[in-house]
Amino acid sequence: MERQLFDADHDAFRETVRSFCDKEIVPHHDSWEDAGIVPRELWTAAGAAGLLGFMMPEQYGGGGARDFRFNTVLIEELTRVRASGVGFTIHTDINSAYLLDYATDEQKARWLPAFCSGETITAIAMTEPGAGSDLQGIQTTARRDGDHYVLNGQKTFISNGILADLVIVVAKTDPDAGAQGISLIVVERGMPGFERGRNLDKIGLKAQDTAELFFDDVRVPVDNLLGEEGKGFIYLMEKLPQERLTIAVVAAAACENILDDTLRYVKDRKAFGRPIGSFQNSRFVLAELATETQIARVFVDRCIQELNAGTLTVAEAAMAKWWTTELQKKVVDRCLQLYGGYGFMTEYPIAKAYLDTRIQTIYGGTTEIMKEIIGRTMGV
């Protein structure tokens, strides 16, 4: 089915992103995976190409186009070259929304120009060693002391954690107030007491730096409070649907790319004197996966339209997130089977896709949490 989502501006942006990916990412990505991190020069090159600040107001060096279809183009092109772990989407799809909607004019003037240029790389620190999906269980605290907050705690699994210059930290400013005591505090590189742990060794998304972060009496100016004190949990709930839709966009694009790669393989690879794709079992597997991938695409595209219109619900985002990511796991597993022994070799893209896929049903809220969210909205 022909997609009806994009117009000429999005198509032109896709050409820009595709050219950038093919020139600046593809030739170097294997070495970045070996290193476990991308160079900062990639970020400034992406900023110069207009790939990081397209949603930000023009007065701060952005493109003035707050339209999630542009985000979708960037996600899809990164997924096409199997570089979804580069880290741009944390910056463009997640943190941009917090900064646009909750930062003061002074904060925007201070942070957004370098956000757009790629000179400032951002991260968001929610997860802790003892608190993942249960954000109310975080232990990191920010105690008010005059014109500063004194921040103490630890975060883990933080994407862009090594490179980040600006970290939105979820902390308790009133430990006795439950969800109403959570605030968002922006920590900047170089603040005394802010330390990074090791770059974590993951099974997939190898080029994405993922770190532990430590805060030991970090004095953060009150001017770095994002939004209002005590409203952090509300802000997270408002923005998590967009984060979950981002993951669903990755999943839908990955399903399409994996399926396309597999189709080419089964048409060329022969067994018993004929292409393995010509066997009935292969055709049935591919037909099933193609059908479900098309269903995913239609639903995700509709969710993108709803997000742009401001009508995407928490439940719909959860539906998109859990169903598409579980489908991605299914597609990559069954396609790998069609590759036979070659699918187990890391030199084949299907093997890398298999490893990169596994995190999809975990971060942004597990499949089980997504189903719980949906069930609650149904009154059960």
Side-chain angles (χ1 to χ4, degrees):
M1 298 175 67
E2 183 179 353
R3 298 174 73 182
Q4 304 295 321
L5 189 64
F6 304 112
D7 61 26
D9 288 339
H10 304 109
D11 293 339
F13 184 62
R14 187 180 297 276
E15 290 303 313
T16 298
V17 178
R18 179 164 294 190
S19 175
F20 181 89
C21 289
D22 290 343
K23 179 182 177 182
E24 303 290 347
I25 294 179
V26 172
H28 313 292
H29 196 262
D30 286 347
S31 65
W32 298 340
E33 290 205 318
D34 291 339
I37 197 167
V38 303
R40 295 187 69 91
E41 290 77 14
L42 177 69
W43 284 81
T44 52
L51 306 191
L52 300 181
F54 52 83
M55 78 299 295
M56 295 302 185
E58 293 181 5
Q59 70 193 89
Y60 304 117
R66 193 170 184 183
D67 173 354
F68 197 77
R69 291 176 293 178
F70 288 103
N71 302 67
T72 299
V73 168
L74 179 60
I75 295 166
E76 290 178 349
E77 290 304 309
L78 290 170
T79 304
R80 178 184 65 86
V81 297
R82 303 177 186 87
S84 56
V86 160
F88 291 165
T89 56
I90 303 296
H91 192 77
T92 58
D93 300 345
I94 300 173
N95 294 338
S96 65
Y98 288 97
L99 295 174
L100 275 168
D101 288 343
Y102 308 130
T104 64
D105 289 343
E106 183 277 330
Q107 289 172 335
K108 289 176 180 177
R110 186 155 41 109
W111 293 329
L112 295 193
F115 178 104
C116 296
S117 69
E119 295 169 280
T120 288
I121 299 170
T122 64
I124 185 165
M126 302 185 202
T127 303
E128 298 181 359
S133 296
D134 179 17
L135 289 174
Q136 295 187 56
I138 63 168
Q139 298 300 309
T140 298
T141 59
R143 176 179 55 84
R144 181 74 179 262
D145 181 24
D147 293 334
H148 290 79
Y149 289 102
V150 180
L151 186 67
N152 283 282
Q154 177 181 351
K155 300 291 184 177
T156 193
F157 310 143
I158 306 307
S159 300
N160 293 349
I162 298 295
L163 288 173
D165 306 291
L166 207 68
V167 183
I168 302 171
V169 178
V170 181
K172 287 186 174 179
T173 45
D174 185 350
D176 299 322
Q180 285 70 44
I182 292 175
S183 303
L184 304 183
I185 310 291
V186 179
V187 177
E188 300 179 58
R189 178 183 290 277
M191 287 183 170
F194 171 34
E195 302 291 341
R196 302 161 207 265
R198 58 198 174 97
N199 192 354
L200 300 171
D201 187 14
K202 310 180 296 295
I203 66 170
L205 302 184
K206 290 286 192 176
Q208 169 76 72
D209 59 301
T210 306
E212 301 167 313
L213 304 180
F214 301 94
F215 309 97
D216 183 11
D217 286 339
V218 182
R219 294 187 66 82
V220 184
V222 170
D223 288 343
N224 280 26
L225 173 69
L226 194 59
E228 297 181 39
E229 187 175 296
K231 290 192 175 181
F233 189 79
I234 295 173
Y235 298 153
L236 293 169
M237 294 305 101
E238 289 175 347
K239 298 308 175 191
L240 278 170
Q242 179 164 317
E243 177 178 347
R244 289 164 180 161
L245 181 57
T246 294
I247 297 169
V249 172
V250 172
C255 288
E256 292 169 342
N257 292 332
I258 292 164
L259 192 56
D260 287 345
D261 286 348
T262 303
L263 278 170
R264 285 191 291 269
Y265 180 81
V266 299
K267 289 176 182 178
D268 292 336
R269 176 71 174 169
K270 290 183 171 58
F272 305 102
R274 54 192 284 203
I276 61 174
S278 67
F279 291 97
Q280 186 183 65
N281 176 72
S282 300
R283 288 200 303 269
F284 280 14
V285 167
L286 293 167
E288 178 182 331
L289 299 180
T291 301
E292 292 183 275
T293 295
Q294 181 64 59
I295 292 168
R297 165 56 58 216
V298 172
F299 183 59
V300 169
D301 280 2
R302 177 60 184 271
C303 286
I304 293 166
Q305 293 174 315
E306 295 294 332
L307 180 70
N308 271 352
T311 54
L312 180 70
T313 68
V314 170
E316 289 164 346
M319 290 175 184
K321 198 274 180 185
W322 89 256
W323 197 83
T324 58
T325 58
E326 291 291 343
L327 176 63
Q328 185 182 349
K329 281 170 53 181
K330 175 182 176 179
V331 169
V332 73
D333 183 68
R334 297 191 72 179
C335 283
L336 189 150
Q337 186 73 18
L338 293 174
Y339 279 77
Y342 290 103
F344 200 62
M345 302 297 109
T346 56
E347 64 192 86
Y348 277 73
I350 189 68
K352 179 180 179 301
Y354 186 86
L355 295 172
D356 287 347
T357 290
R358 191 58 190 88
I359 189 61
Q360 285 279 86
T361 60
I362 298 173
Y363 60 13
T366 64
T367 293
E368 293 75 19
I369 293 295
M370 295 302 98
K371 292 179 180 179
E372 179 68 18
I373 290 169
I374 297 162
R376 287 179 181 178
T377 66
M378 299 170 68
V380 294

